[in-house]
Structures are given as C-alpha cells and as structure tokens.
Amino acid sequence: MLNSMNRNIKILFAVFSILFFSLIAYLSYFQLYEKNKLITSSYSVYNKRLIEQEKKILRGSIYDRNGNVLAKSTIVNGEQIRQYLDGVPFADIIGYSRRIYQQGSTGIENTYDRELLGMINTDPMTFLRETVLGKSQVGDDVVLTVDKRLQDLAYGLLGGRKGAVVALDPKTGAVLALASSPSYDPNTLGENWSSVMNSPDHVVLNRATQGLYPPGSIFKIITASAALTYKPDIYNQTFNDIGYVTVDGNKITNYDNIAYGTIGFQKAFYVSSNTSFVKIGLQLGRSNLEAMANKYGLNDSVPFDIPVEKNQFPSIPLINGKVQLAESSIGQGKILVTPLTMALMASAPANGGVIMKPYLMDYVKNPVTGEILEKTTPEKYLNPITKDVADKIKQLMIGVVQQGTGTAAQIPGITVAGKTGTAENPHGQAHAWFVGFAPADDPKIVVSVIIENGGAGGATAAPIAREIMKAYLGY
Amino acid sequence: MEEYVKTGSKAMKDIFLIFVIAFMLLFIYHKPKGFDTIYFTLAFLPLIYIVYYLHVRLFPMGEIQLIILSSFLAEMGLIMIYRVAPDLILKQIAWIFIGFILYFASSYASLHYDFFYKVKYGDYVYLAISFILLFSTFIFGKEIGGSKNWLTFGSVSVQPSEVVKIIYIIYLARYLKDHKTTNDVIKIGAITILIVGVLVIEKDLGTALLFYLTTMFMIFVATSSVLYTGVGTAFLGIGGVISYFLFNHVRVRIQAWLNPWMDVPGKTYQIAQSLFAIGAGGFFGTGLGMGHPEYIPVVASDFIFSAISEEFGMLGAVAIILVYFVIMYRGIKVALDAKDEFGALIAIGLISIFSLQVFTIIGGVIKFIPLTGVTLPFVSYGGSSMVMSFITLGMLNGIAVREDEDVEQYEPQH
C-alpha cells in the first residue's frame, strides 16, 4: 500500500512543481509583454506611480526630422508645463499628455510615454547614481520623421476644410506629413477640455489614420493591379463607353455622365471611366478583386506608431453579388479606407511593388549624452504586385496627370504620377481624393489627400498634393 | 550532523545580514516614528537564533530547513510590513513569537500522532468541532475585508476556518486510512462540498478552494484512483459555474480576473494597483523603500507579494516562490518517509493546503488566476495565518522526527 502511495505522492509533487513554476513563467511573461501595456494604456491614469514619475522627471522633447522642437517641457514656478510649439497642425500626431489631470494621453505622447519619461534606460548604475546624487532626471527625446515645414503647409492647404493629407517616403515608409483638419490647440486644452472633446467637428479625430472614407476612383489602382496580375489580356481590350452601364438593373454612370466612346484600358484609367472599370471588374470576378484588395491590406489595420482604424473591404457575396462587385471595382459600395492606407497603396507602384511599413518615430536619444537608445529601421510591409505590374501602373498614373483627370497636379520640370477620386457618399457632396508621387522615375514622396465633400478630386485635391510635392522636392 | 549545523548557521547569518541591511535602508529612507520600533524589531534577531539552536538541540534529526526557511519568510514579511505599515510590526512580531512556541508544541504533539488516530469516535469528534467552528461565524461572525469568516474576542480577531483546516486534514487522514471504497469517497465528497458551500457563502472563496483541492489530493494519494480525481475536477468546474451564476461576489472576482481594467476606480481597483506595482518593479525592482507599494490596498496582508515584487523586482519575487518550493519539497519528503499511511496522509494534507495557499494568493495578485483573499504564509500580516502556518510546519517536523527516531534505534548513538 505504501508503495503505490509513494508513487501518488511523487505525482502530487510533480503537480505542485508545475503550479509553482507556472507562477514564475507567468511573472516572466508579464514583465516581458504585459508590463509595457500598463504604462502606455489609457488605464495608466490610475497609476499614481507614473504621476509621481511625471512630476519628478522633466518630460523629454519631441523634434521633427530637421531638429525643430515640436514639444518641450519647462519648469514654471516649480511646476512642469508642456509646450507644443507648433500646436494646431501637429495636435493629431503628437497628441497630449494629461495624466496628472487624470485625462490620459494620446498620439506620440502616449506611444512613447516610457521614452519621454526616461523609463527605457534600465542601467541600474546610472539610476542609482542619479538617485543618490539627487539629480533631477530628464526624459529622453523623441525625433520624428515628420517635416515641420511640410506639415504646416499641408495643414494650411486644407484651409479649415474637413480632410487629411498624408505624405511619406515610399522607399522607407517614413511619414513626412500627416495632417488632419480641423484640429485643436493642445496648449489650451486645460481650459477648453470639454469643448474640444465634444466638438461637433470631431477635432480630436485624426482623420488621416482614423477617418474611414469610400475610396472612389483611386481604388482603380487596385482594380488595375488585379487586372494586370490575373487577366493581363484586359490591358489590350477596348471598351465601348456610352456614359453608363447597367448591372442587374442598376445604372452606374461616369462622373458628370460623360460618354468617352470606344477607349482602351489606358484611356479608361486616365479619364477614370467608371463604365469601363465596372466591365473590367466583372471580367475579373470577385475572387481576383478580393485577393488583390487583401494584398493591399484592405482588410487590415496598418501597423503604425499611433492608432489606425481598420480598413473595411467586406467580401462580395457569391450569389447576387454582381452589383456589389461592380460598385467595388470603382471603389464605391461598402469599401472604407483611411487616407494613410491610400498613401501606402500609391507607394506600391512608386516602389517597385513593395509597400514599406509606415513609421513616425525616427529615433530616441538621451538628451544629455546624445546616445541613440532606439531607432526605427525601415521594413517591408506588403508586396501586392510585381515590379513589372508596378511599372505599368506607374505609367498609367503618369498618364492621369499628363492627359487625364489629374492635370492640376502637374509640376513643370518633373514627372508626377497620380490618380484622382471623387467618392460618392451618403453625406452630401462627393469626397475629393488624390493620391500620387513624384518624381515618377525616382519617387521620393507619395501624397494622399482627401477633402470631405470637396467635389471633384482633380479640381480640389490634386492642387494640394502638387504644392506638397513641390515644396518637398524644392521646386 | 556537524556539516548540517554549519550550513544552517551560515543561512542564519545571511538572514541576520539581510535583516540589518534592510532595516538600515528603511531607516534612512523613511525615518520611522522613533527608535522603539527599531529596538523591538532588533529583538527579533536573537529570537530566531534561539529558535534555531533550540531546534538543533531538541530535534537533531528534525526538519531544520523548515524553521530556517520560515524564519526567512517571516523576516521578509517584517521588512515589508515595516515598509508599508510600521504600526503593525510589533503585533506581527508577537504573532511570530507565538507561532514559534506553537511550532515546538505541535512538533511534540505530532511525535505521538498515533493519538489522533486512536481518539474514540474520532470521525465524529473532528467533524463536530469543524462544523461548530465553521457555523460559529454565522452566528457570532464579523465581516472583515468583505469576508464574514472572523470571530472577535475583545481586540483579537481569529479566523476559525484556519483551525478547521488542520482538524479536517486529520479527520480525512484518519478516515481515508481505513475507508477507500466508492461509498466512502462519496461520503467524504458530500461532507467536503458542505464545508466548501459554507465557506463560499461566507465569501471566503480562497479557503473554499483550498479545502476542496486538498481533499481531492488526499483522496488521490490514498486511493490511487484517477476516476475520483476526474470526477472531483468535473465537480469543481460545475460548482464554479453554478456559484458564478448564484453569487455576485464570485462573479465580481471572475470578471475582475478576465478584465482587470473593467472598473479601475471601483471593483477592479485592487488587482489593477497590484499589477501596476508588479510592472513598476520590473525584473530588478525599484529597490527597498524606493517604490510606492503604499498605493496598493490591503498591501500588508493579501497583497504583500505585490509589494515585494515592486521593490525587490521579479528576481526577488521568484526567490520567494523558490523558498516556498523548497518547503513544499521538504513536506513531500516527510510524506514519502513517513512510517505509516496515517502519518503520510496527514503530511500530504498539510503540505497540500500550504502549497495551494501559496499558489492561490501569488497566482491571484499577479492575475494568473482569479483573486481570492488568502494570506501568503509567514509573510502576510495576520495572526491566525501566522500561527497556523507554524503549526503546519511543526506537525510536519514532528512526523519527520518520529520516522527518524524509529530508525535511530537500529543505529549507534552519536
């Protein structure tokens, strides 16, 4: 009897050993993965430790790519004051940090909270030295990829209208400008808290990353990608464009009901012929169109330094999905995308078919020693199309600006590629879209512009993109 | 033997050193309310030395590790209590002192543990005492910290369920030694579910879980039956689901576990603050006296492990877990070496409930399992828990010495 009991006792020992070591394993997991969430999550307003830390430590500064100070903390009468030097245009990127007032934090201030509070320097000796010497500590500085000049220009060009501008470097994914209008002044947030938070214009909503819009005709980049990838013959077809097309009894018309007559694939793209692209979509079929949309990340939320809303590309039903397929082919129907995603979409043809992961934080440095503590290295995000297809799309986009709907984006001396969009929506006048890049032979900047209810993309959005490209390229 | 004592003395010296350094640091950082506390606290050091040498003299073949490790844990408790609630420290030292005395008393009592077996009508006596103690809180009980499981006598509050733990283990060992049929197991199961039910209604969820699992483990060891264990686990699941729908306090605990951020200013305040503390500690800790464990509610009792994690870091916390692991290992060894089934079953019961208690509270404060308010043995502030933990180890020591004494008869005396 004792023999079998001893065996059981040993089994029990094994059970207790597993229980004890699972505690250790969970603690390690917690320290490695869960801990950081506690510091950056919105619940951290309940963490009094961070408030203490925040009072003790001079919060780090935030810089643009050229060393311009965007945010810094100073001590006034013993109290720490956060100043946002280029307040309104940057409010939607940088956000605010108001943990002390239990109002939380957003944007870069939230994402890089640990860095700005100097909490990533885990060297215990430095910490001990600073504690023993009673030195006041300073947080680390965060340097962004954004160009202040471009950001101010973009915000200015939006001119108070509701909309967004995203500009990025297609080769690295570094974001150059990310403007959302209308915005608010984070410097006076204390006094204006409730009016800002409850503003009917949703000024705290970052329209560039969290605004969801129907893409309209700029989606034809994806439809064309699918056509060139899965049914290359379509490229040589001609379409009889009589200004409208009827799908299962539903009439889909061209913008302004223009009839283009018999046109080829290229012309159909230049003039953004809905009729032709509906026919292309129907030929492609739902599975090809869906596959390409997914490859462009239209069912994902983009990984980014600040929160991004998930795009929506609902799958087209197998049966009776013909109308929806037709609408999807021209970017209407149930598709919803963010301006950031559309900038990424346009960077595929600009960058040989590869979309780089977008990022805002270039590096984090110690303000005293200048040592670089964290640095973002560019990485591949998606690869929806081959180099060959990418080059063909690029040629189509050059055509749009040279002889199509996007002539307003032309810059003398350089070749601009682009695509306009006029997205119909249930909330009044159509949204004006433009995506494009320049110089076409060696793209250095991709721009995506949306003006809510701005009408035709070629007229309203393209000139904004032109000004931003011009400013960045120095023309 | 010589070697053995030497290793022990070295461990005691380390305990001494840790204590002196810790109190110096705390004195520098926090300037406690006067020197009285310091004098009294320093008296703790000779006390653990006396206990150590007494143990070597009285039980040369005893489980010396148990007293060394429990002294260390009690010391860690004192350091943290001094850190977070200095007012409680003298009371805690008094409880440790009483605990030491009861450790020796229960060691001696357990040398003759056959007595517990020979008690006439033992089954009925033990069950009667257990139920009287449990139900007494229904009538005379007082609600402290959300659980109505306390009896107060003047300024002293005791938790009868702590006493019932040990009586019930002796009852189970006695009964299971001779009764292993399915009917017997069903009978034990029914009695256990009754006790557990009372505890759940009294909102003492942690103790309820400890009772249930310990019974299950003891039945497994006694009968080797996988079937009983399987059925027991199934009942635990069903019982958990039923009580989730039946009792609001069970529901709150489970919800707070699933989402500790659900209601931080309210229901999930404790667990959220505990997680903030553990997170703030990181791997190396903030350093003793340099964190903010005072932000955690009931930090001196239920959440003392979070305070240790904050100031000593994950490495310190793991060290504490490993100390409990060694105690668990020694307890298992006592059970393996016990000379008869009754002794082995008592030892298994004692070490099971002890280890499960450690797992339940540590797992609870780190959000590995739902939080149930039990104390961390030897470390948490609290009399009942301290005294009962020492009695548990004392009994294990007694059972171990009993085994060795019988062997010694065949060996030359040193």
Side-chain angles (χ1 to χ4, degrees):
Chain A
M1 204 61 214
L2 265 177
N3 260 350
S4 72
M5 220 163 99
N6 279 356
R7 190 206 58 172
N8 298 344
I9 292 173
K10 283 172 191 164
I11 293 175
L12 207 56
F13 175 65
V15 169
F16 284 131
S17 302
I18 292 170
L19 288 184
F20 277 58
F21 283 97
S22 64
L23 288 179
I24 297 176
Y26 183 81
L27 263 179
S28 320
Y29 163 78
F30 180 86
Q31 296 293 2
L32 283 172
Y33 299 104
E34 294 279 314
K35 186 180 76 180
N36 293 348
K37 285 193 219 156
L38 290 188
I39 295 165
T40 50
S41 75
S42 58
Y43 316 114
S44 70
V45 295
Y46 300 111
N47 189 350
K48 296 183 194 147
R49 282 171 199 78
L50 290 176
I51 298 173
E52 293 290 320
Q53 180 94 337
E54 199 133 3
K55 284 179 187 160
K56 259 192 320 217
I57 285 189
L58 194 67
R59 196 174 173 83
S61 305
I62 301 173
Y63 293 93
D64 89 331
R65 58 162 44 216
N66 300 316
N68 296 309
V69 184
L70 301 174
K72 67 170 184 185
S73 286
T74 43
I75 298 191
V76 180
N77 299 330
E79 205 188 333
Q80 210 180 117
I81 305 282
R82 189 74 167 159
Q83 286 172 284
Y84 298 96
L85 283 92
D86 197 11
V88 183
F90 272 99
D92 286 306
I93 299 181
I94 292 180
Y96 53 83
S97 171
R98 296 183 62 79
R99 183 182 284 119
I100 290 174
Y101 312 100
Q102 301 243 333
Q103 289 166 334
S105 56
T106 58
I108 292 291
E109 292 271 41
N110 180 49
T111 312
Y112 296 103
D113 200 32
R114 291 181 64 234
E115 285 81 355
L116 292 165
L117 282 176
M119 289 170 83
I120 52 161
N121 191 354
T122 44
D123 173 18
M125 284 317 290
T126 313
F127 177 76
L128 197 66
R129 203 164 47 234
E130 285 174 347
T131 312
V132 172
L133 296 175
K135 255 193 349 204
S136 82
Q137 293 176 30
V138 281
D140 298 317
D141 290 343
V142 173
V143 180
L144 301 180
T145 54
V146 188
D147 186 323
K148 177 180 179 295
R149 195 176 47 113
L150 222 53
Q151 179 77 12
D152 288 346
L153 178 66
Y155 189 77
L157 288 167
L158 286 168
R161 290 172 290 183
K162 288 181 196 164
V165 174
V166 179
L168 48 85
D169 180 342
K171 288 173 186 148
T172 60
V175 172
L176 305 169
L178 192 112
S180 166
S181 166
S183 188
Y184 62 96
D185 187 355
N187 292 303
T188 55
L189 201 52
E191 303 93 85
N192 304 331
W193 179 262
S194 67
S195 68
V196 167
M197 290 300 141
N198 304 319
S199 133
D201 289 342
H202 305 288
V203 292
V204 285
L205 175 79
N206 188 341
R207 291 178 156 83
T209 57
Q210 292 174 308
L212 284 177
Y213 304 97
S217 292
I218 55 170
F219 187 84
K220 286 173 187 156
I221 292 176
I222 293 175
T223 311
S225 298
L228 292 170
T229 304
Y230 302 116
K231 298 262 168 81
D233 294 346
I234 295 178
Y235 190 71
N236 301 317
Q237 284 180 19
T238 52
F239 307 91
N240 185 22
D241 185 330
I242 53 165
Y244 66 90
V245 63
T246 314
V247 181
D248 278 357
N250 283 52
K251 191 174 167 189
I252 298 171
T253 62
N254 284 345
Y255 182 68
D256 271 354
N257 297 310
I258 304 163
Y260 295 102
T262 303
I263 51 171
F265 185 89
Q266 287 167 293
K267 177 97 190 275
F269 191 87
Y270 300 161
V271 299
S272 203
S273 154
N274 285 346
T275 342
S276 310
F277 267 83
V278 164
K279 288 173 184 163
I280 293 168
L282 293 176
Q283 274 192 63
L284 273 170
R286 56 174 275 285
S287 61
N288 285 336
L289 191 69
E290 273 182 28
M292 187 50 75
N294 285 332
K295 280 186 173 185
Y296 270 101
L298 256 61
N299 264 324
D300 292 334
S301 50
V302 179
F304 197 41
D305 307 46
I306 55 176
V308 180
E309 201 65 32
K310 191 176 185 290
N311 299 300
Q312 292 171 21
F313 187 84
S315 57
I316 299 159
L318 265 170
I319 307 158
N320 297 330
K322 216 173 160 193
V323 179
Q324 202 185 315
L325 174 61
E327 285 178 338
S328 296
S329 312
I330 55 168
Q332 294 291 157
K334 293 175 177 166
I335 311 172
L336 291 174
V337 295
T338 66
L340 174 66
T341 311
M342 291 299 97
L344 293 172
M345 174 188 75
S347 69
N351 193 38
V354 175
I355 301 177
M356 300 299 286
K357 190 172 157 225
Y359 64 97
L360 270 171
M361 184 272 280
D362 191 2
Y363 58 91
V364 175
K365 72 172 198 311
N366 181 318
V368 183
T369 63
E371 182 195 356
I372 290 185
L373 305 166
E374 278 175 27
K375 176 144 181 68
T376 309
T377 41
E379 54 181 298
K380 203 175 115 175
Y381 168 45
L382 295 168
N383 189 359
I385 46 176
T386 61
K387 171 110 184 30
D388 187 44
V389 173
D391 289 342
K392 285 209 176 85
I393 303 270
K394 187 200 279 186
Q395 288 309 318
L396 291 170
M397 288 171 74
I398 292 171
V400 170
V401 176
Q402 282 178 347
Q403 45 178 300
T405 53
T407 47
Q410 284 173 6
I411 305 170
I414 39 173
T415 323
V416 177
K419 181 76 193 82
T420 59
T422 308
E424 288 167 29
N425 69 89
H427 314 288
Q429 219 192 336
H431 297 323
W433 273 106
F434 183 85
V435 293
F437 53 86
D441 49 347
D442 181 24
K444 292 192 165 63
I445 180 170
V446 171
V447 183
S448 140
V449 178
I450 183 166
I451 305 285
E452 287 182 28
N453 312 115
T460 319
I464 295 177
R466 179 193 64 211
E467 291 310 311
I468 288 164
M469 291 187 214
K470 258 173 78 177
Y472 184 69
L473 299 171
Y475 277 83
Chain B
M1 185 67 201
E2 283 292 308
E3 197 60 31
Y4 194 61
V5 174
K6 220 192 251 170
T7 319
S9 312
K10 198 175 166 301
M12 293 306 289
K13 259 178 221 142
D14 293 342
I15 292 180
F16 184 94
L17 203 63
I18 292 170
F19 200 75
V20 171
I21 293 173
F23 270 77
M24 265 168 49
L25 281 175
L26 287 178
F27 195 74
I28 293 166
Y29 284 128
H30 289 280
K31 305 270 186 302
K33 314 182 164 178
F35 282 89
D36 297 6
T37 331
I38 285 279
Y39 297 144
F40 276 105
T41 312
L42 286 178
F44 173 74
L45 286 172
L47 177 64
I48 58 172
Y49 264 95
I50 292 166
V51 167
Y52 169 72
Y53 282 110
L54 218 56
H55 200 280
V56 173
R57 298 285 301 175
L58 295 175
F59 307 109
M61 298 314 250
E63 284 287 330
I64 189 79
Q65 291 96 330
L66 293 182
I67 202 72
I68 295 176
L69 295 174
S70 54
S71 296
F72 170 70
L73 291 171
E75 174 198 276
M76 280 304 291
L78 279 182
I79 293 171
M80 283 327 285
I81 289 167
Y82 189 64
R83 164 78 181 87
V84 295
D87 293 343
L88 298 175
I89 193 160
L90 294 182
K91 260 189 175 174
Q92 180 80 342
I93 292 174
W95 284 119
I96 295 173
F97 183 69
I98 297 169
F100 279 138
I101 294 172
L102 290 174
Y103 174 89
F104 286 108
S106 55
S107 285
Y108 272 107
S110 307
L111 286 178
H112 312 284
Y113 62 78
D114 299 7
F115 169 79
F116 298 126
Y117 185 69
K118 288 173 190 148
V119 174
K120 268 197 181 154
Y121 306 111
D123 292 351
Y124 302 104
V125 173
Y126 297 138
L127 279 183
I129 299 174
S130 300
F131 277 101
I132 288 169
L133 282 173
L134 277 179
F135 280 106
S136 65
T137 60
F138 266 141
I139 304 155
F140 311 106
K142 196 173 170 232
E143 190 163 317
I144 299 180
S147 297
K148 194 179 171 166
N149 54 359
W150 295 82
L151 285 183
T152 48
F153 305 100
S155 65
V156 183
S157 303
V158 291
Q159 261 180 305
S161 60
E162 293 278 354
V163 185
V164 176
K165 274 183 200 169
I166 287 173
I167 296 172
Y168 193 63
I169 283 167
I170 296 173
Y171 160 75
L172 281 178
R174 186 179 189 276
Y175 190 80
L176 282 169
K177 182 180 182 303
D178 304 319
H179 305 80
K180 297 183 202 301
T181 68
T182 306
N183 276 341
D184 299 326
V185 172
I186 290 173
K187 188 183 152 195
I188 291 179
I191 293 170
T192 309
I193 286 172
L194 193 61
I195 292 181
V196 168
V198 173
L199 289 168
V200 169
I201 293 167
E202 287 178 357
K203 300 185 183 174
D204 195 353
L205 303 177
T207 314
L209 187 71
L210 299 186
F211 266 88
Y212 189 87
L213 288 175
T214 301
T215 309
M216 223 173 89
F217 288 166
M218 286 179 75
I219 291 173
F220 169 73
V221 169
T223 63
S224 308
S225 168
V226 179
L227 175 74
Y228 299 153
T229 315
V231 171
T233 314
F235 263 105
L236 180 65
I238 296 167
V241 173
I242 291 174
S243 49
Y244 179 87
F245 288 107
L246 220 52
F247 302 109
N248 188 44
H249 56 276
V250 178
R251 208 156 40 236
V252 167
R253 291 297 169 92
I254 302 277
Q255 284 166 351
W257 172 60
L258 291 174
N259 182 8
W261 312 111
M262 176 180 68
D263 179 19
V264 181
K267 286 176 197 162
T268 62
Y269 188 76
Q270 292 190 346
I271 185 70
Q273 295 304 326
S274 170
L275 294 179
F276 285 143
I278 297 168
F283 284 96
F284 301 100
T286 57
L288 181 61
M290 287 154 74
H292 291 284
E294 66 275 11
Y295 295 153
I296 318 166
V298 282
V299 62
S301 53
D302 293 11
F303 284 95
I304 198 137
F305 187 79
S306 316
I308 293 175
S309 295
E310 175 165 7
E311 301 213 323
F312 290 88
M314 188 196 128
L315 294 180
V318 167
I320 299 289
I321 295 174
L322 291 177
V323 170
Y324 284 111
F325 179 82
V326 176
I327 292 179
M328 183 272 285
Y329 166 74
R330 295 312 300 183
I332 291 285
K333 200 146 176 340
V334 170
L336 282 175
D337 293 342
K339 82 175 168 64
D340 59 30
E341 209 182 319
F342 182 55
L345 280 172
I346 295 182
I348 273 302
L350 292 172
I351 203 61
S352 293
I353 209 155
F354 182 85
S355 309
L356 286 169
Q357 183 168 343
V358 172
F359 176 76
T360 309
I361 185 60
I362 296 182
V365 300
I366 67 176
K367 200 188 88 72
F368 184 50
I369 57 170
L371 179 69
T372 59
V374 292
T375 53
L376 188 62
F378 301 115
V379 183
S380 289
Y381 172 75
S384 306
S385 154
M386 180 66 73
V387 164
M388 284 303 146
S389 304
F390 270 117
I391 290 177
T392 302
L393 294 202
M395 287 177 76
L396 286 171
N397 182 50
I399 294 167
V401 173
R402 168 60 180 271
E403 158 65 16
D404 283 333
E405 275 179 352
D406 289 346
V407 174
E408 264 180 346
Q409 289 169 3
Y410 307 99
E411 282 176 353
Q413 294 286 323
H414 45 265

